[in-house]
Amino acid sequence: MTTITLDEDDVRQAVSMPAAIDAIRRGFVGLAAGEFEMPVRTVLRDGQFLVMSAHHRPSATAMVKTLSLNFSRVPAISGTVVWSEAARADHLVAPAGVVTALRTGAAVGVATDLLAVPDASRLTLFGVGGQAADQVRAVRAVRPIHRLTVVNTDPGRARRFLEALGPELSGIDVRITTDPVEAVADADVVCCATNTSEPLFPASALPRRVHVNAIGAYRPTMRELPDELLADSFIVVDEIGAILEESGEIIHALRAGALAVDDLVELGSALRSAPSTRAPRTVFKSVGIAMQDWVIARLLADAYLG
C-alpha cells in the first residue's frame, strides 16, 4: 500500500484553474445524472469543524475531507482531503485549504461561464481571505477581465492581497475601495467571499445586468446577499439540499417570501439543459459540496498515483 502526501505547491503544480474548471463542470453534470453518493456534510461546533464525503459510483472511488475553520487565524481552513479507490489500496492525502479554494473557485468559473455576459470585463471582489485569489483566477479564466475592484474595510490588507497576486494581474486595471455601492455600480461580475452576517450591498446599487457569485456564507447565520437581489434574479445553486440546510441568504429570503424553493436551479441541471429565458441579473450561490473536492482529488490522483 502506498500513501502519497502532498503539500500546497504539489496541488498547484498538478491542477491549473482551467483544468479544474473543466473537471468541475463535468462533475456537476455527473452529479445531476446521479453518479455520486454524497451524504449531507457533518457540521460540528456551529461550522468550526466539517466532515464531507463523496463516492463516485462509476469509478468506485471516494473522497473524505475533514477540516477546521477559524477566521481569526491564518490559514482559516486547515485539514486533509483523502482519496481512496476500491480497486487498490493506495491513498492520496492533500491539504484541505488549497483544495477547498481551488474547487470553490472552479465552481464559480463554471457558473460565471454559464451565466455572465460573454464580454464581461469588470470584476468586483468582496473579501481578501483565503478564497479570494481563486475567485479572481476563475473568473479571469472564463471572461476577458480588464478591471478588478477590490472592496475591503482595510485598504492595506487589500493592497497586500493584490501584491501577492503580482504578475497574475498584469494588464489589469486594479482599484481598491471601501465603498461597496461605488464598487458594484458598473460591475459585470461580482464575487462575494466573506464571512459577513449582513448583506454586503443593496440590490439597488447593482446595474440592471450583472452576474453575482456568493461563496462566503456557509451557515444559516451568515448572509452576503440581500433579499431584494434574490427576488429579482435567476438563481443557480450548487445543490438544493445543501443550500436549504446551510445558506443563510437563501434561508432568509425563503422565510421573507422573497423567493420559493422552485426558483432555485441546480448548476448541474442548468449545464445539462440551459434555460431559454432568465432574468438579466443572475446569482450563483454555493455552500460547497463534496463532489467538488472529489473532482480535485481525482485530478491529483491521476497526476501522482497514475
Side-chain angles (χ1 to χ4, degrees):
M1 181 182 76
T2 299
T3 298
I4 295 179
T5 301
L6 307 179
D7 61 20
E8 181 169 344
D9 288 341
D10 295 327
V11 174
R12 292 292 183 185
Q13 182 177 344
V15 183
S16 68
M17 182 56 74
I21 290 171
D22 288 344
I24 289 287
R25 183 182 290 110
R26 294 191 299 273
F28 273 106
V29 172
L31 179 66
E35 293 181 0
F36 289 89
E37 179 183 4
M38 194 175 67
V40 175
R41 67 182 167 197
T42 300
V43 178
L44 304 172
R45 197 177 171 86
D46 193 29
Q48 285 191 297
F49 299 96
L50 303 176
V51 181
M52 306 169 67
S53 59
H55 162 229
H56 185 239
R57 294 184 176 97
S59 63
T61 58
M63 180 286 316
V64 177
K65 179 170 78 171
T66 61
L67 59 83
S68 65
L69 292 99
N70 184 341
F71 294 108
S72 64
R73 75 180 185 205
V74 177
I77 298 175
S78 177
T80 59
V81 170
V82 179
W83 169 267
S84 302
E85 303 180 25
R88 61 182 182 181
D90 299 330
H91 288 72
L92 179 142
V93 181
V98 62
V99 170
T100 301
L102 186 55
R103 58 85 146 156
T104 305
V108 161
V110 172
T112 301
D113 196 28
L114 177 69
L115 299 170
V117 295
D119 60 348
S121 63
R122 298 179 294 266
L123 170 62
T124 294
L125 172 69
F126 286 83
V128 293
Q131 302 285 324
D134 283 303
Q135 298 292 295
V136 176
R137 292 175 182 127
V139 175
R140 289 197 64 203
V142 298
R143 286 298 183 270
I145 299 300
H146 301 306
R147 192 187 77 195
L148 169 63
T149 301
V150 178
V151 190
N152 200 267
T153 55
D154 182 349
R157 191 174 178 213
R159 280 193 293 272
R160 291 190 294 274
F161 166 76
L162 293 171
E163 288 168 1
L165 282 175
E168 294 185 58
L169 299 179
S170 177
I172 303 293
D173 175 17
V174 176
R175 305 177 184 184
I176 297 172
T177 182
T178 59
D179 184 346
V181 171
E182 173 192 14
V184 302
D186 64 346
D188 297 313
V189 179
V190 177
C191 285
C192 306
T194 74
N195 62 350
T196 183
S197 58
E198 296 293 335
L200 294 165
F201 48 80
S204 59
L206 291 162
R208 182 57 186 159
R209 182 174 294 278
V210 66
H211 173 63
V212 179
N213 299 299
I215 61 94
Y218 67 99
R219 299 298 297 138
T221 53
M222 303 167 75
R223 186 171 166 231
E224 293 183 301
L225 306 180
D227 291 347
E228 294 78 13
L229 172 60
L230 297 172
D232 189 38
S233 301
F234 177 73
I235 305 170
V236 174
V237 301
D238 46 13
E239 200 268 330
I240 288 176
I243 287 292
L244 296 180
E245 191 81 21
E246 300 178 336
S247 169
E249 47 267 278
I250 297 295
I251 292 170
H252 191 279
L254 288 169
R255 289 175 178 170
L259 76 162
V261 173
D262 289 346
D263 296 325
L264 307 177
V265 178
E266 291 188 338
L267 181 54
S269 297
L271 290 166
R272 295 181 80 192
S273 179
S276 57
T277 60
R278 61 174 184 248
R281 288 178 176 175
T282 57
V283 170
F284 174 56
K285 173 58 200 173
S286 173
V287 292
I289 56 176
M291 175 277 292
Q292 298 167 246
D293 299 295
W294 176 90
V295 166
I296 302 302
R298 181 170 191 171
L299 293 175
L300 294 172
D302 289 345
Y304 290 104
L305 290 177

